[in-house]
Amino acid sequence: MSMELDVRRIREDFPILRRQVNGRPLVYLDSAATSQKPEAVLAAVDRYYRETNANVHRAIHTLGEQATEAYERARARVARFVGAGDPRGLIFVRNTTEAINLVAWGWARQNLKPGDEILLTEMEHHSNIVPWQLVARETGASLVYVRLTPDGELDWADFKAKLGRRTRIVAVAHVSNVLGTVNPVDAICSEAHRAGAVVLVDGAQSVPHMPVDVGAIGCDFLAFSGHKMLGPMGIGALWGRPEILEGTEPLFGGGEMIAEVFPDHSTWNELPWKFEAGTPNVAGAIGLEAAVEYLEGLGMEAVAAHERELSRYAYERLERVEGLRIYGPRPPEKSHAGVVTFNLLSVHPHDLSMILDQRAVAVRAGHHCAQPLMRWLDVPSTARASFYVYTLPEEIDILAEALEEAREYFSHVLLG
Amino acid sequence: MSSLDELYRAVLLDHYTRPRNRGVVEGDGSAVDLRNPSCGDTIHLTLRLDEAGRIAEVRFLGQGCSISQASASIMTEAVKGKPAAEAVALAERFKAMLRGEAELAPEDGDLAALEGVRQFPVRVKCATLAWNALEKALATATGGRAEGAEG
């Protein structure tokens, strides 16, 4: 396994990267929102519909059998990708949001009572806040937030102070989608377990970008989305320790998730199918398997190293753009994923993003579904550039030049 | 003129940097708060009608991109002194213009600075925020009488 990615070669696998936007080659720096898809994933989905399409777990005929086999093989492959030997713990869902909701409604609602605490952090995405607010309202449990250091890292002392006998669950992002902070989830898990709490790791921004092993981390739940890791939209996964999942209630009732149905009650199917009511996204699962295969071919260590290097370079280059304020822990001294968030003087990120778009540079602008974190940063919104396996350092140069142009463009406003 | 220059016309940038009628009309019972949840643009709009039902005073506070804030400033200037029904009609005409279904009249003045937004559909909601707030405030202030009137 090579430790360096051949990015030019990789780019040839992504048809969308041949696109022009506003007459220039696309510079796609929004992979934290969704990644682009390689031919291998597109072909796997296409092949499934052309050659194998049938409903799973129902039909006795050949196609039904092949579709079921392909779906379950995808499950085992995706489970192995996150270090889970037992595929029974891997539940296919639509996305990270659905995975977290499954834990909130299926596990937390059954297990929390008034006085219990749900421990979150100030850097969570709305999808790891709002489900807990709903469940807290339902159960009488309360929400507690771990503070951040001025650098945008978790305040470890505050975490230790807030983790207590009342803490039943800790729900934490592995990597912040705004600050790029990489949280010490393994240490969080051992502390939490010592306090008797379970841990859900939001892996939306980590599973696509670095080696993630549920055994090494020691978490109880891991949630992630396929579309951020080269896979199709509409497929994601919740991994849970099978012992905990046995005691977790299904989120949806319907076909496939039952063992026996009587007029007044039903019994549930075994793991993982008790959580997969109705016809699942078979093509999505197969596409995700192809994405996992592609990433494994590159090597996740190499992917992580590539993005670390891009972050380091982005900081170095963007710090030279006059008037640019960059947020989050500074690489390489601090560990930082492939996400760089910034504001240019007083230019609103939407205005900035629009000017960058004229240069075919796609960045995210807004609150990034992290309004509590925006309040912590004391800004209404920010712009964010995020990188992936197909990102070239030259694209960071183009971003920097476009930012300099934007500053020129708005100079009469900013100086006026 | 590039489409970007078309969007960020001098008049628009002038309203953005030197917003008119910023503030609060004290004692207004029809204050309206609106936001674009996807981008975080906000507006707090207050106004006062005189006995004849004209907009005697209108002020806004808010946060957001140049388009949303300039549009609010331009809106306050455009509707001040107008009868409520006329202001609602203007709001409707302005929104129809952004949808590409109507043209502005010469007397609409600075509103023309926002014509460039038409080419950028993702920014239309930024430009309409203040106008939606205006319609809501007028509906409250007039007890619904200003709705659907033709100016």
Side-chain angles (χ1 to χ4, degrees):
Chain A
M1 179 171 60
S2 146
M3 279 308 284
E4 220 162 272
L5 299 186
D6 184 352
V7 178
R8 296 204 180 272
R9 164 75 204 79
I10 289 170
R11 290 175 68 86
E12 288 170 15
D13 295 334
F14 291 79
I16 207 167
L17 298 180
R18 294 196 276 276
R19 253 204 76 161
Q20 301 251 318
V21 170
N22 294 317
R24 292 161 192 255
L26 169 66
V27 175
Y28 186 75
L29 299 177
D30 198 17
S31 290
T34 197
S35 69
Q36 298 303 348
K37 323 301 175 197
E39 289 284 6
V41 168
L42 304 176
V45 172
D46 186 67
R47 201 180 322 119
Y48 167 73
Y49 279 125
R50 285 176 192 281
E51 296 173 10
T52 322
N53 180 53
N55 213 329
V56 291
H57 298 303
R58 288 160 179 76
I60 305 299
H61 55 71
T62 303
L63 288 189
E65 210 172 275
Q66 289 176 353
T68 304
E69 201 187 296
Y71 182 62
E72 293 304 328
R73 194 186 56 226
R75 185 195 308 282
R77 185 86 192 240
V78 174
R80 269 206 315 280
F81 184 69
V82 294
D86 184 353
R88 288 185 310 144
L90 198 289
I91 302 153
F92 280 126
V93 293
R94 279 185 301 151
N95 47 36
T96 305
T97 299
E98 187 176 315
I100 296 172
N101 272 276
L102 202 166
V103 177
W105 294 107
W107 184 85
R109 184 168 55 174
Q110 319 305 320
N111 287 285
L112 298 190
K113 53 184 191 312
D116 286 346
E117 289 175 356
I118 301 164
L119 189 54
L120 309 173
T121 82
E122 285 181 339
M123 68 172 85
E124 298 311 312
H125 187 280
H126 294 165
S127 64
N128 201 23
I129 297 175
V130 183
W132 304 114
Q133 290 174 339
L134 294 172
V135 161
R137 205 168 64 187
E138 190 97 352
T139 59
S142 44
L143 302 178
V144 179
Y145 288 85
V146 179
R147 278 199 310 257
L148 309 186
T149 66
D151 265 2
E153 297 188 302
L154 275 193
D155 182 332
W156 190 252
D158 193 52
F159 167 67
K160 296 257 278 191
K162 283 173 176 162
L163 178 72
R165 273 182 307 110
R166 286 199 287 256
T167 312
R168 296 300 311 281
I169 184 161
V170 178
V172 57
H174 193 172
V175 169
S176 161
N177 69 313
V178 176
L179 301 171
T181 314
V182 183
N183 286 320
V185 284
D186 46 352
I188 290 171
C189 287
S190 36
E191 290 291 335
H193 287 158
R194 205 168 314 150
V198 306
V199 181
L200 176 142
V201 172
D202 171 357
Q205 300 294 347
S206 63
V207 174
H209 302 285
M210 58 183 67
V212 171
D213 184 311
V214 290
I217 293 170
C219 57
D220 301 284
F221 297 106
L222 173 74
F224 55 101
S225 294
H227 72 94
K228 292 189 200 289
M229 51 189 285
L230 311 180
M233 287 189 171
I235 189 77
L238 172 71
W239 174 84
R241 278 199 295 116
E243 318 78 274
I244 292 199
L245 289 177
E246 292 289 359
T248 301
E249 285 287 295
L251 193 53
F252 301 115
E256 183 54 34
M257 51 78 70
I258 46 83
E260 276 191 289
V261 177
F262 304 96
D264 59 341
H265 76 284
S266 300
T267 56
W268 307 148
N269 198 342
E270 292 172 5
L271 291 181
W273 305 292
K274 87 168 177 185
F275 297 106
E276 295 182 358
T279 297
N281 183 355
V282 180
I286 288 167
L288 179 54
E289 180 194 19
V292 160
E293 203 164 70
Y294 188 92
L295 288 169
E296 283 174 341
L298 301 177
M300 290 309 290
E301 287 289 357
V303 170
H306 170 67
E307 292 183 33
R308 266 198 308 275
E309 175 52 23
L310 286 173
S311 291
R312 188 202 58 74
Y313 180 65
Y315 263 72
E316 184 192 299
R317 179 67 186 87
L318 295 177
E319 276 172 351
R320 298 207 305 267
V321 176
E322 203 185 314
L324 198 75
R325 166 115 199 253
I326 309 175
Y327 307 99
R330 190 184 188 287
E333 301 80 31
K334 298 286 177 88
S335 93
H336 192 108
V339 168
V340 178
T341 289
F342 51 84
N343 269 321
L344 180 65
L345 298 168
S346 62
V347 179
H348 191 279
H350 279 175
D351 293 318
L352 189 58
S353 170
M354 174 138 274
I355 290 176
L356 298 184
D357 186 59
Q358 297 300 304
R359 298 276 171 266
V361 177
V363 298
R364 173 81 193 268
H367 53 57
H368 315 287
C369 297
Q371 287 177 0
L373 181 57
M374 293 297 117
R375 274 177 220 117
W376 179 82
L377 288 171
D378 199 23
V379 293
S381 55
T382 67
R384 175 189 73 187
S386 53
F387 318 130
Y388 209 4
V389 294
Y390 37 70
T391 308
L392 290 162
E394 291 89 312
E395 293 182 292
I396 292 166
D397 295 331
I398 295 172
L399 168 67
E401 284 153 22
L403 286 168
E404 274 151 4
E405 279 175 16
R407 199 194 51 229
E408 287 304 301
Y409 194 88
F410 271 97
S411 59
H412 54 297
V413 173
L414 303 164
L415 303 172
Chain B
M1 191 156 57
S2 81
S3 54
L4 204 58
D5 294 331
E6 174 79 2
L7 176 67
Y8 294 118
R9 289 185 197 177
V11 176
L12 184 144
L13 292 176
D14 181 55
H15 276 274
Y16 176 47
T17 41
R18 300 187 304 114
R20 327 296 198 259
N21 299 306
R22 227 182 132 77
V24 177
V25 179
E26 293 303 331
D28 171 28
S30 52
V32 167
D33 284 287
L34 283 187
R35 64 166 51 234
N36 282 329
S38 61
C39 53
D41 293 342
T42 61
I43 184 166
H44 177 77
L45 188 76
T46 46
L47 51 77
R48 185 173 59 79
L49 301 182
D50 63 18
E51 290 90 23
R54 289 172 187 275
I55 299 173
E57 232 187 322
V58 52
R59 292 185 175 278
F60 80 99
L61 291 174
Q63 246 184 6
C65 65
S66 59
I67 310 291
S68 70
Q69 300 306 299
S71 184
S73 171
I74 290 170
M75 179 276 288
T76 58
E77 280 207 317
V79 302
K80 206 166 169 180
K82 280 198 166 56
E86 221 174 279
V88 171
L90 180 62
E92 287 303 315
R93 192 159 77 245
F94 175 73
K95 291 198 286 183
M97 178 278 285
L98 289 178
R99 291 193 301 267
E101 292 165 6
E103 293 299 323
L104 294 173
E107 65 270 22
D108 291 336
D110 281 359
L111 266 66
L114 290 156
E115 278 174 331
V117 179
R118 271 195 294 205
Q119 298 168 48
F120 298 94
V122 294
R123 305 301 294 276
V124 165
K125 66 180 188 310
C126 311
T128 50
L129 184 69
W131 297 82
N132 289 334
L134 172 72
E135 288 189 283
K136 217 172 155 191
L138 287 174
T140 311
T142 62
R145 286 192 309 281
E147 265 176 291
E150 188 51 64

